[in-house]
Amino acid sequence: MINEPAQERIVQADIEREMRRAYLDYAMSVIVERALPEVRDGLKPVQRRILWTMHEMGLAPNRATVKSARIVGDVMGKFHPHGDAPIYDALVRLAQPFSMRYPLIRGQGNFGSIDDDPPAAQRYTEAKLSPIAQEMLADIEKDTVDFVPNYDGSQHQPTVLPTKVPNLILNGSAGIAVGMATNIPPHNLREIADAIKKLIADPETTSDDLCDIVKGPDFPGGGVIYRYEDQKNVETGALERVDAIRRAYANGRGRILMRALASKELLKGNRESIIVTEIPYAVNKAALIEKIAELVTSKRIDGISDIRDESDREGMRIVIEVKRDVDSRKVLNQLFKHTAMQSAFNVNMLALVDQQPRTLGLKDVLEYFIAHRKTVIRRRTQFDLDRAKERAHILEGLKIAHENLDAIIKMIRAHRGNEPVLVEKLRESFKLSEAQAKAILDMQLRRLSQLERAKLEEEYTATIKLISELESILASARKVQHIITTELDQLVEKFGDDRRTKILDDASRELSAEDLVADEDVVVTISGRNYIKRVPLSTFKQQHRGGRGVTGMQVREEDEVQHLVVCRTHDRIYFFTERGRVFATKVYELPDASRTGKGTPLQNILEAMAAGERVEAIVALRDTVSADYLVMATRKGFIKKTALKEYENVRRAGLIAIALRKGDELAWAQDARRGDLVVLATRKGKAIVFKESDARPMGRDTQGVTGIRLGKGDEVVGMGIARKGMQVLSVTENGFGKRSAIEDFPAQGRGGSGVILAALTPKTGNVTSVQTVDQAMEEVIVISRNGIVIRVPMEQIKILGRATMGVKIMATGEAKIATIEVFAPTRPAQAQLGLDA
């Protein structure tokens, strides 16, 4: 007989319904298991499995790195049954400092670059957890999160990490699911921690309130983002100025404009170059340079003569040389318009909440993190409480054992080898629980006989106290909140850093000349024949006092260096002439020159200066609200105080600053505040200190009043503004200098003859320059009349009494000291509108 085939089971189904169900199952699988981060720990499943695997492997920050291939193999074999390539790609991204604001993995080897160079193969690279990743895994062994079986039931893995770190908002996330995508920017830990604490203290805090704390995204590569953007109103069609950052944080969606950070640099032949040091987040540097070159070749951007990449281990540096007589601002605006030097970050804060995708605002993200931390702390506290209660129970049993030590030892010896009977005997005889009886039996007889009552009591008391503390935490929501804020403060102390991305208001306007200049420390020098120049402060390296210095200015025969000031390129600089007039300009408008260059005639810059008119005083200010008055002094000892606001609008033709007496010259000017002290010093070593209030405020076109009465043949050589606790720094012609406490100078009314400033000898020469210093001022620059400069730490100049000659600061040789400048070095600040040196 021929066997008939088994009858097949045919199911009638609607193909459209089946396709829809199958596609939805696939879509949810991609959404939940692959593309979107979990709101609580900010991780996708593969990232969480990588960190958990590394934790199980013991790859702590203080341990040695292991091959990435070994980590990938464990992840793939235990938790993530997919290809090794995507696992390694995820591991690499977690280690890239240009992708992650706070990298979770420390990599050793080639983990790729910002030029999109691929990482080395996993068999060549090594990795371990970073310190901040350890904070994400802290307390995971204390039943703080739920665990589920892996794909084959042989292992268990956490559903979420008990992170102390608000990772979702700190490192951001990007992913494309089915029909949806997420794009969350990274942020600064200090700002986010402050926002969380604010929200804990006041749950009614609005998203707008949080924006006062969280200024905006903080990308790992820096750059610039813009708060406001002109957008068209859908209803009216009119352009409206929109706060793009606040809108993105409120709605979870938005568009934030990013720009590269660039500055202008002068080349030989008065040509300019644009230096790009930071580019927008996720922009490929090599592709950007290639795009610029392509635009130059196709003539879409005109004015660029050369482009090269000079980036190294110290940082990024793209040099774009501009053709002669071409405005670099115009070229930079074209680069922003046509290349990725200006890009948009499309914010879409989509994350999984209870396994469902949700678009979240900033407040939502922080609230879910706070709720997660509350759950973790309660579960951790309950775990510790259960262990503490178990230990207290055991200690109670050991105390009973100590009280009945002889009987228990006798019982153990009598029933040795029969543990079940012995446990039952102990329980019946001494009313112990089974756990207590087993704990006693588990101890060696030798240790049991040596139990010390005091130690037991001490541990039991400490355990009871711990139980009370843990129970009070579980009973108090306020204590839980305090723990969250305390742990955040600890995170900030360990990992907090300054914001890298600048936030500016408006990118709609064209760039100004100031926008293209880095706001950095510079040295401005003027010779006796009015040759002026500026050079970066970094040109002059620190030396020990007593050195010979380096050439700071090439002076002509019969010319000498007269003035030196340390300021910043965005400061406004005022020039006061011996005739009592004042001129003003921006520091960046002064000619940039080499260290040994002679500079440019000042009359070429301040065209209204008369022939033969000399600059005698320089004041550099960031704004006219930084001080109350401008104090001026003349060679013959007269002073005048004028409100600084009267110098807000100095015309190109200059203004009258002081009306001089016949035969006198204006020589010093300095900004001052109410309550300051005025110091005047003379060439013959006398000085007077009096209150600024001793001189009443006067208008610009006035003569002033007597500040110090001079002896025969003497003249004023310096003026300073001081406060209590400051010192007077004096330097003599032959390079001797010292600091003297301001309290060493008895206070006099203005118009006195002063007191001894320094003990002068032929060895020291006369006093040539005086300035006031405080603890914030760290260095001094000394320049001789023949242009030799030395830069000395202030701490190397001793604090000595008035009647001393000081210590050798500079070996002058045949030359004499021209002047000094005291300054506090600052970190180079970034210029406005996405431009920096």
Side-chain angles (χ1 to χ4, degrees):
M1 177 186 289
I2 300 174
N3 292 330
E4 294 183 0
Q7 187 174 1
E8 295 182 359
R9 184 167 175 264
I10 299 173
V11 177
Q12 297 288 336
D14 185 341
I15 186 68
E16 183 180 345
R17 187 184 303 118
E18 285 297 310
M19 288 291 291
R20 184 181 293 110
R21 183 187 60 79
Y23 189 77
L24 285 175
D25 289 345
Y26 161 73
M28 287 306 298
S29 175
V30 172
I31 291 168
V32 174
E33 293 295 328
R34 192 171 298 183
L36 298 186
E38 226 281 353
V39 69
R40 293 172 291 177
D41 63 6
L43 297 173
K44 301 175 185 178
V46 65
Q47 295 171 329
R48 188 179 303 110
R49 289 163 182 168
I50 289 170
L51 297 182
W52 171 241
T53 300
M54 295 177 73
H55 177 73
E56 281 201 313
M57 294 172 69
L59 299 180
N62 59 350
R63 301 288 294 276
T65 56
V66 303
K67 288 290 184 184
S68 299
R70 181 179 165 193
I71 300 171
V72 170
D74 272 20
V75 173
M76 183 169 57
K78 292 180 179 179
F79 305 113
H80 201 73
H82 302 280
D84 62 332
I87 297 174
Y88 184 54
D89 288 344
L91 185 151
V92 163
R93 181 175 173 81
L94 292 175
Q96 290 177 333
F98 52 87
S99 296
M100 304 288 285
R101 182 62 177 81
Y102 300 92
L104 303 180
I105 290 177
R106 279 187 174 173
Q108 183 169 305
N110 174 17
F111 276 76
S113 74
I114 201 168
D115 289 322
D116 206 25
D117 297 320
Q122 55 187 278
R123 62 182 178 274
Y124 297 123
T125 62
E126 298 180 358
K128 62 180 178 181
L129 291 171
S130 70
I132 199 168
Q134 220 173 17
E135 301 292 343
M136 295 186 67
L137 289 150
D139 303 319
I140 198 168
E141 72 285 351
K142 292 187 176 182
D143 191 35
T144 49
V145 294
D146 294 332
F147 279 72
V148 294
N150 68 338
Y151 64 92
D152 64 359
S154 63
Q155 304 278 338
H156 282 80
Q157 60 184 342
T159 57
V160 67
L161 297 188
T163 176
K164 297 179 182 177
V165 181
N167 181 62
L168 179 66
I169 199 73
L170 283 191
N171 277 318
S173 187
I176 300 174
V178 178
M180 60 185 68
T182 186
N183 200 26
I184 304 172
H187 291 78
N188 183 272
L189 174 58
R190 289 175 179 169
E191 293 180 6
I192 295 300
D194 288 343
I196 292 172
K197 290 191 289 185
K198 170 74 172 175
L199 197 55
I200 289 173
D202 180 13
E204 300 302 317
T205 300
T206 64
S207 179
D208 203 52
D209 295 333
L210 293 174
C211 288
D212 294 333
I213 301 171
V214 182
K215 305 301 183 185
D218 189 21
F219 298 111
V224 176
I225 59 177
Y226 291 89
R227 177 169 299 282
Y228 296 104
E229 188 176 9
D230 291 334
Q231 295 185 359
K232 185 177 290 187
N233 187 302
V234 178
E235 296 179 359
T236 65
L239 286 177
E240 294 179 348
R241 195 165 184 250
V242 177
D243 189 330
I245 295 176
R246 287 179 182 266
R247 187 176 64 174
Y249 285 156
N251 304 327
R253 293 177 180 270
R255 179 179 180 273
I256 297 175
L257 191 65
M258 306 180 292
R259 271 187 181 175
L261 210 59
S263 67
K264 181 177 67 175
E265 204 173 85
L266 286 178
L267 303 173
K268 290 182 180 179
N270 206 29
R271 291 168 53 225
E272 296 177 344
S273 64
I274 297 169
I275 309 298
V276 180
T277 52
E278 296 174 11
I279 58 178
Y281 183 59
V283 169
N284 182 327
K285 174 162 66 71
L288 173 64
I289 294 172
E290 186 177 337
K291 177 65 174 178
I292 295 172
E294 177 188 320
L295 291 170
V296 172
T297 303
S298 63
K299 306 293 186 183
R300 291 187 65 190
I301 293 182
D302 193 21
I304 296 177
S305 60
D306 189 24
I307 179 171
R308 58 185 180 274
D309 187 0
E310 296 182 356
S311 305
D312 55 20
R313 292 179 182 272
E314 299 300 319
M316 184 184 299
R317 180 179 168 88
I318 303 170
V319 181
I320 304 168
E321 291 191 7
V322 179
K323 293 178 181 178
R324 192 185 305 276
D325 300 325
V326 173
D327 190 348
S328 55
R329 288 173 291 175
K330 178 182 177 182
V331 173
L332 191 55
N333 282 321
Q334 290 177 325
L335 290 172
F336 285 147
K337 183 177 181 180
H338 298 293
T339 73
M341 282 179 62
Q342 176 173 300
S343 306
F345 189 97
N346 294 304
V347 178
N348 187 12
M349 298 172 67
L350 189 71
L352 293 176
V353 179
D354 296 329
Q355 298 298 294
Q356 297 294 321
R358 274 193 56 191
T359 300
L360 307 168
L362 175 63
K363 182 178 179 180
D364 299 325
V365 172
L366 300 185
E367 284 179 333
Y368 280 115
F369 175 75
I370 293 169
H372 177 54
R373 284 306 299 161
K374 288 179 178 178
T375 301
V376 167
I377 289 170
R378 288 196 178 97
R379 291 181 64 161
R380 179 183 70 191
T381 305
Q382 187 63 55
F383 179 89
D384 290 338
L385 178 61
D386 293 343
R387 300 293 86 76
K389 285 182 176 179
E390 289 172 6
R391 182 58 182 166
H393 183 63
I394 296 300
L395 290 172
E396 288 168 353
L398 294 177
K399 285 168 65 179
I400 293 172
H402 188 275
E403 294 168 355
N404 302 276
L405 193 56
D406 292 337
I408 288 176
I409 292 174
K410 184 177 180 180
M411 192 177 296
I412 290 173
R413 287 173 176 167
H415 296 86
R416 184 172 294 174
N418 194 349
E419 185 173 332
V421 174
L422 186 53
V423 168
E424 194 60 33
K425 287 281 186 182
L426 287 172
R427 292 184 63 187
E428 290 176 0
S429 302
F430 304 104
K431 293 184 172 50
L432 300 172
S433 69
E434 185 175 350
Q436 290 171 325
K438 286 185 176 181
I440 293 170
L441 294 179
D442 286 342
M443 295 184 68
Q444 294 177 349
L445 195 60
R446 172 178 55 82
R447 287 192 60 203
L448 187 62
S449 63
Q450 293 177 353
L451 278 175
E452 296 182 22
R453 178 78 180 187
K455 288 184 178 179
L456 278 176
E457 287 291 350
E458 184 179 342
E459 184 181 356
Y460 182 72
T461 301
T463 305
I464 293 300
K465 183 179 179 182
L466 175 61
I467 290 172
S468 176
E469 289 176 358
L470 295 173
E471 287 177 337
S472 69
I473 291 172
L474 291 174
S476 171
R478 186 179 294 276
K479 286 190 175 182
V480 173
Q481 293 173 350
H482 178 70
I483 291 172
I484 296 174
T485 57
T486 301
E487 290 176 346
L488 282 171
D489 289 338
Q490 292 169 351
L491 281 176
V492 170
E493 186 176 350
K494 286 183 183 178
F495 308 109
D497 57 1
D498 294 334
R499 164 173 283 279
R500 299 179 188 175
T501 301
K502 285 182 67 67
I503 301 177
L504 302 175
D505 282 343
D506 196 354
S508 59
R509 68 179 176 86
E510 294 291 301
L511 297 171
S512 67
E514 184 169 323
D515 297 332
L516 278 170
V517 178
D519 193 12
E520 61 182 357
D521 289 324
V522 293
V523 176
V524 176
T525 53
I526 301 179
S527 75
R529 297 180 64 174
N530 275 355
Y531 278 83
I532 187 170
K533 70 170 185 177
R534 66 177 170 91
V535 295
L537 176 62
S538 57
T539 303
F540 305 103
K541 305 300 181 185
Q542 272 194 12
Q543 299 182 37
H544 289 287
R545 67 172 179 83
R548 298 190 62 85
V550 297
T551 301
M553 189 174 193
Q554 193 69 43
V555 293
R556 291 184 173 187
E557 192 175 349
E558 299 181 357
D559 194 8
E560 294 179 345
V561 174
Q562 293 288 341
H563 305 288
L564 176 148
V565 64
V566 176
C567 50
R568 296 182 69 79
T569 45
H570 285 202
D571 289 350
R572 187 167 179 80
I573 189 165
Y574 295 84
F575 300 96
F576 295 83
T577 74
E578 90 285 7
R579 301 182 186 181
R581 295 206 296 165
V582 59
F583 302 86
T585 185
K586 284 284 191 177
V587 173
Y588 65 80
E589 293 177 342
L590 300 176
D592 194 8
S594 66
R595 176 171 61 84
T596 58
K598 68 179 181 181
T600 302
L602 190 54
Q603 281 83 355
N604 292 357
I605 301 166
L606 307 178
E607 298 172 359
M609 277 187 67
E613 194 170 6
R614 305 186 317 274
V615 169
E616 287 292 345
I618 308 173
V619 176
L621 296 173
R622 179 52 54 105
D623 52 59
T624 54
V625 298
S626 58
D628 298 313
Y629 301 107
L630 198 66
V631 178
M632 288 161 277
T634 71
R635 293 283 180 193
K636 292 188 176 181
F638 290 91
I639 69 160
K640 192 183 84 163
K641 183 176 73 175
T642 304
L644 190 57
K645 63 183 179 181
E646 294 199 27
Y647 298 91
E648 285 180 339
N649 301 306
V650 178
R651 299 187 298 270
R652 299 289 292 184
L655 292 174
I656 294 175
I658 184 173
L660 294 168
R661 292 169 172 81
K662 186 177 180 180
D664 201 0
E665 295 180 350
L666 174 63
W668 295 275
Q670 194 169 338
D671 55 296
R673 288 188 176 277
R674 290 182 179 88
D676 284 347
L677 300 172
V678 179
V679 180
L680 291 176
T682 75
R683 187 174 303 281
K684 298 298 183 181
K686 288 292 191 73
I688 189 171
V689 175
F690 56 88
K691 298 177 181 178
E692 57 80 23
S693 56
D694 287 353
R696 62 181 178 82
M698 300 181 177
R700 287 187 295 101
D701 193 7
T702 54
Q703 290 185 336
V705 293
T706 302
I708 185 171
R709 297 194 183 278
L710 300 173
K712 187 176 180 180
D714 203 359
E715 66 175 349
V716 176
V717 293
M719 181 192 76
I721 303 298
R723 292 172 297 280
K724 288 183 179 180
M726 294 181 66
Q727 299 133 20
V728 177
L729 171 65
S730 57
V731 178
T732 66
E733 292 174 327
N734 295 336
F736 285 82
K738 65 174 180 176
R739 290 181 287 160
S740 300
I742 194 73
E743 287 77 14
D744 289 349
F745 296 84
Q748 301 181 26
R750 65 169 182 83
S753 299
V755 295
I756 294 175
L757 168 67
L760 303 179
T761 67
K763 181 179 179 181
T764 63
N766 290 325
V767 177
T768 188
S769 192
V770 169
Q771 286 202 22
T772 51
V773 301
D774 61 22
Q775 295 178 350
M777 296 179 176
E778 299 173 350
E779 299 182 23
V780 60
I781 281 185
V782 182
I783 187 166
S784 68
R785 294 176 185 173
N786 61 351
I788 302 299
V789 173
I790 188 170
R791 177 178 172 182
V792 179
M794 186 65 71
E795 61 188 16
Q796 293 189 7
I797 302 176
K798 292 183 178 179
I799 299 177
L800 300 171
R802 290 189 292 107
T804 57
M805 68 181 192
V807 295
K808 193 74 170 177
I809 298 178
M810 181 178 184
T812 58
E814 296 297 322
K816 301 295 184 183
I817 298 297
T819 187
I820 62 173
E821 172 69 6
V822 175
F823 65 98
T826 55
R827 178 179 177 270
Q830 295 172 341
Q832 299 294 313
L833 290 177
L835 306 168
D836 193 6

